[in-house]
Amino acid sequence: MTGKAQQSKGTIDSEEVARFSAMAEQWWDPTGDFKPLHKFNPVRLAYIKQEVCRHFGRDPKAADAFKGLRFLDIGCGGGLLSEPMARLGADVLGADASETNIKIARLHMENSGLDIDYRAETAEKLAEDGETFDVVLNMEVVEHVADVPLFLKATSQMVRPGGLMFVATINRTLKAYALAIVGAEFVLRWLPKGTHSYEKLVKPSEIEGPVKDAGLKIIDRSGVSYNPLTDTWSQSRDMDVNYMLLAERATSS
């Protein structure tokens, strides 16, 4: 859930990097600036586990269900997704262009007794270096990059034949503006003001186009909705605000 450091060209947005770097020490505080992400995380984890196990024929009840699979958590922030993937046996590379985020992620990993390859790196550089993965987690990051099509091209390129890419973000709709920005940042104060910019929110079609152009096929779409009565998040058919897309690369013949 972060942008990337400044370069002459590319997907990084220096203002986004600075914003999330400033909040980095709160990544693992469930009552801090990332409280909404902690509450949202169980839905993401359940969806990832369900679809990865289904796709690769794994037992979802197994403690090492992801053993032998290589994961990329791009825009990993403090490692809220990287660590659960590693606990399930995955070989995880967590990448974020914010050096501060990576330092926090490494420190928490060491205290957790896990082994995760954390790198302060961009998606483009990883793709240029020929890195490939069975699963790419592209979660809550596209709304913070400078060039969405380029970013999606780079991340899609790293999906191996037969592999998956998850994309989660916020739709660019009036409903999303009212709930995810005005409601979450100004009324409920769940997030610091300025966490999201309406013009940088991304419609599903703006993700599906570049992903398909990169040779992947969208195989699932899911909304994620908040229930204020129970203070919980769950999957839904409503993609007007938060949503997740799942894409796969066909197995080579």
Side-chain angles (χ1 to χ4, degrees):
M1 185 177 174
T2 182
K4 304 211 166 30
Q6 184 63 45
Q7 288 182 351
S8 57
K9 293 181 180 180
T11 65
I12 52 175
D13 185 317
S14 58
E15 292 184 0
E16 294 291 315
V17 174
R19 179 179 296 113
F20 285 98
S21 293
M23 301 190 299
E25 292 186 0
Q26 297 193 50
W27 272 109
W28 288 95
D29 180 0
T31 64
D33 286 344
F34 295 102
K35 178 180 179 180
L37 198 55
H38 281 270
K39 286 188 172 293
F40 186 70
N41 219 28
V43 179
R44 301 192 302 175
L45 294 175
Y47 184 66
I48 292 167
K49 187 175 184 181
Q50 168 188 297
E51 296 301 329
V52 168
C53 288
R54 177 185 297 165
H55 186 79
F56 292 99
R58 302 302 180 88
D59 179 2
K61 295 182 180 179
D64 59 350
F66 293 170
K67 185 177 181 179
L69 297 176
R70 190 175 191 224
F71 277 58
L72 169 64
D73 182 9
I74 190 69
C76 65
L80 297 186
L81 280 178
S82 294
E83 288 201 8
M85 300 302 105
R87 288 193 184 93
L88 284 168
D91 174 12
V92 182
L93 192 165
D96 197 297
S98 166
E99 291 274 3
T100 308
N101 284 344
I102 290 300
K103 288 178 182 178
I104 294 295
R106 285 175 177 159
L107 178 61
H108 198 275
M109 171 195 71
E110 291 169 0
N111 291 335
S112 301
L114 297 171
D115 183 12
I116 298 169
D117 181 6
Y118 281 122
R119 305 183 196 178
E121 196 56 271
T122 65
E124 306 98 282
K125 183 61 166 59
L126 291 172
E128 289 171 5
D129 290 344
E131 296 282 2
T132 62
F133 304 87
D134 298 294
V135 180
V136 171
L137 302 180
N138 193 336
M139 312 293 276
E140 285 74 48
V141 60
V142 293
E143 71 269 28
H144 300 293
V145 303
D147 188 329
V148 173
L150 179 61
F151 179 74
L152 291 171
K153 178 181 179 181
T155 52
S156 297
Q157 180 181 326
M158 292 185 279
V159 179
R160 293 172 175 170
L164 298 173
M165 181 166 75
F166 294 80
V167 183
T169 188
I170 303 174
N171 206 340
R172 193 171 66 255
T173 62
L174 291 179
K175 184 176 178 180
Y177 176 75
L179 297 179
I181 296 180
V182 176
E185 297 181 19
F186 292 86
V187 179
L188 298 174
R189 297 183 180 180
W190 283 348
L191 296 167
K193 295 177 182 178
T195 298
H196 294 107
S197 299
Y198 179 74
E199 62 273 12
K200 296 194 73 174
L201 302 184
V202 188
K203 291 181 175 293
S205 61
E206 296 167 346
I207 291 175
E208 294 188 15
V211 166
K212 290 178 180 177
D213 289 344
L216 274 62
K217 177 183 178 182
I218 302 296
I219 59 173
D220 191 57
R221 301 169 178 83
S222 176
V224 183
S225 300
Y226 175 71
N227 185 332
L229 297 178
T230 59
D231 189 26
T232 57
W233 293 84
S234 61
Q235 282 185 244
S236 72
R237 295 181 180 179
D238 183 359
M239 296 176 59
D240 288 346
V241 185
N242 295 83
Y243 66 93
M244 299 183 289
L245 300 177
L246 177 60
E248 70 171 350
R249 184 179 295 283
T251 304
S252 298
S253 57

